[in-house]
Amino acid sequence: MKVLGLETSCDETGLAIFDSEQIDSPNQGLVGQVLYSQIELHATYGGVVPELASRDHIRKLVPLLNELLEQCQLNKSDIDAIAYTKGPGLIGALMTGALFGRSLAYGLGIPAIGIHHMEGHLLAPLMGANPPAFPFVSLLVSGGHTMLVAARGVGEYEILGESIDDAAGECFDKAAKMLGLPYPGGPNIAKLAESGTPNAYELPRPMLHKGLDFSFSGMKTAVHNLIKDTPGSGVTGDNSDPQVRADIAASFQHAVVDTLVKKCIKALKQTGMKRLVIAGGVSANTYLRERLTSELAKIQATVHYAPPALCTDNGAMIAYAGYERLAAGQADDLSVSCVPRWHIDELPPVKSGMENHTAPIALGE
Ligand code: KG4
Ligand code: ZN
């Protein structure tokens, strides 16, 4: 089954084709993917402007689809089904991909399904060679969400804990902004931190001993105060010392990663599970991966993650999550409804042979 995946929930237009019949080939089913980032468009505003995001998705969807088909040497008629991001995300941005995908599927007489963006992230590490088996604990760390989920199967998710305020990615972005680094902050902080000392400055580990929920807003305030009070932390001039700036970035990254690692270990112990799967933009962070690999080895647990390009927003994860649900007989009807706020534990489970959660209606008649 060749599934076209469309991701338009925020500021990336991502399209990909996943072919279940090529799972054993070197591309592991990912026939091709294209990604257009709107980062430059929003840069002057210091954050994503929703209306501009929607308009840009509309401009890019058709040319990107043509580019993808050419890359894959396929025609539209070769596509068997379409999966689009239905939520959570910016409502206008979601609507562009959903309406485009739903209409294209109608025109082609093939099924379409709306996918939960965070389920896309959660399942992305399963696309690679030797995918981790269920059950596992998933740490979902993106720009909008920080969550620990017990995943017992596709669609069988129990939220163990989540951020009560800022998401980890958001915290990286805000700390980067305070250091005068461009958006998205995560990769830029990580790069600056490479030449810094993780223990140079002491920063808080909020809510470390309180269950599995997270809080990152206190960390944000602490970094703000640290930058304000530390000579050399500025971007230019006499108040800019590259080593001081690198030490601040490294200490911040260390504090966030430390918090994430400790909560992951707690979640594994609480559930008795031995596999941790990390997903979402922040899971691309090398320091987080290294720390988890070494710390989990001490409790005989393993950590699994996707290649960096599949950690941040992309169309491939939506195509793959779509395939998992379509293969189980699920599909949506012709109505298009997007859900800007949507909890991952509200999703229907996927059991092979189960009845469709919404009956697909006959198309092309
Ligand atoms: O999953 P994602 O692409 O988009 C959302 O669904 O939000 O995540 C984007 C977030 C941004 O906050 C970005 O700064 C962060 O992921 N990020 C990173 C790294 N790469 C991306 N954070 C830390 N280290 C990285 N290497
Ligand atoms: Zn995302």
Side-chain angles (χ1 to χ4, degrees):
M1 186 196 295
K2 289 188 187 62
V3 182
L4 167 67
L6 305 170
E7 159 57 33
T8 65
S9 69
C10 191
D11 59 347
E12 323 266 4
T13 322
L15 286 80
I17 293 177
F18 176 80
D19 183 358
S20 57
E21 278 161 36
Q22 294 190 39
I23 272 176
D24 295 325
S25 67
N27 66 22
Q28 290 153 8
L30 184 54
V31 186
Q33 64 167 329
V34 289
L35 185 76
Y36 170 76
S37 171
Q38 302 177 350
I39 285 175
E40 277 179 32
L41 174 72
H42 302 288
T44 39
Y45 304 95
V48 178
V49 183
E51 182 59 24
L52 293 183
S54 316
R55 290 182 197 193
D56 215 36
H57 286 308
I58 292 171
R59 270 193 290 270
K60 291 291 175 199
L61 277 164
V62 172
L64 282 172
L65 175 62
N66 290 334
E67 190 186 324
L68 176 67
L69 290 170
E70 201 176 310
Q71 186 192 109
C72 301
Q73 294 285 293
L74 293 171
N75 294 313
K76 284 191 198 82
S77 54
D78 295 318
I79 302 169
D80 299 308
I82 297 179
Y84 55 84
T85 306
K86 176 174 172 159
L90 302 171
I91 186 68
L94 289 166
M95 289 300 285
T96 63
L99 286 166
F100 180 76
R102 181 58 272 182
S103 317
L104 182 59
Y106 180 72
L108 294 170
I110 56 176
I113 189 160
I115 292 298
H116 192 292
H117 180 82
M118 296 312 291
E119 176 173 63
H121 277 304
L122 190 150
L123 297 178
L126 275 59
M127 291 179 76
N130 307 317
F134 288 106
F136 52 75
V137 170
S138 175
L139 171 71
L140 295 174
V141 266
S142 70
H145 296 85
T146 301
M147 240 186 280
L148 276 163
V149 174
R152 298 188 170 85
V154 179
E156 293 177 59
Y157 310 129
E158 179 196 349
I159 299 175
L160 302 169
E162 57 190 325
S163 178
I164 59 164
D165 41 53
D166 292 1
E170 194 180 350
C171 192
F172 265 99
D173 295 336
K174 286 176 177 167
K177 205 170 174 182
M178 291 178 215
L179 279 166
L181 299 170
Y183 178 88
N188 289 310
I189 290 254
K191 197 160 187 302
L192 184 58
E194 278 170 20
S195 47
T197 308
N199 293 316
Y201 301 102
E202 187 59 33
L203 285 163
R205 273 63 166 160
M207 293 184 65
L208 208 52
H209 304 290
K210 285 196 196 147
L212 292 173
D213 283 338
F214 302 87
S215 165
F216 288 106
S217 73
M219 186 96 82
K220 194 177 61 189
T221 311
V223 181
H224 173 80
N225 291 337
L226 178 64
I227 292 172
K228 184 165 61 69
D229 299 339
T230 311
S233 63
V235 187
T236 51
D238 290 346
N239 188 31
S240 185
D241 179 334
Q243 192 56 53
V244 169
R245 290 171 54 75
D247 285 346
I248 293 177
S251 302
F252 164 76
Q253 179 176 256
H254 180 58
V256 176
V257 166
D258 217 34
T259 309
L260 295 174
V261 169
K262 294 210 163 84
K263 295 273 177 176
C264 286
I265 291 173
K266 209 173 199 179
L268 288 165
K269 286 185 175 162
Q270 186 175 307
T271 55
M273 292 179 186
K274 285 289 173 194
R275 283 177 291 273
L276 176 78
V277 175
I278 57 171
V282 182
S283 71
N285 188 281
T286 312
Y287 186 62
L288 174 67
R289 292 171 173 216
E290 287 170 359
R291 281 286 310 280
L292 280 170
T293 305
S294 61
E295 297 294 325
L296 264 53
K298 294 178 192 163
I299 55 162
Q300 288 78 48
T302 50
V303 58
H304 308 261
Y305 39 75
L310 296 183
C311 291
T312 44
D313 289 353
N314 64 84
M317 67 185 198
I318 302 303
Y320 179 69
Y323 159 70
E324 286 284 351
R325 291 191 171 275
L326 290 154
Q330 297 184 3
D332 285 347
D333 61 24
L334 287 184
S335 62
V336 178
S337 62
C338 292
V339 194
R341 284 177 174 274
W342 188 8
H343 286 107
I344 198 168
D345 55 359
E346 290 166 19
L347 291 174
V350 167
K351 297 211 172 72
S352 46
M354 73 170 277
E355 286 180 18
N356 304 332
H357 70 291
T358 46
I361 65 169
L363 299 170
E365 288 174 5

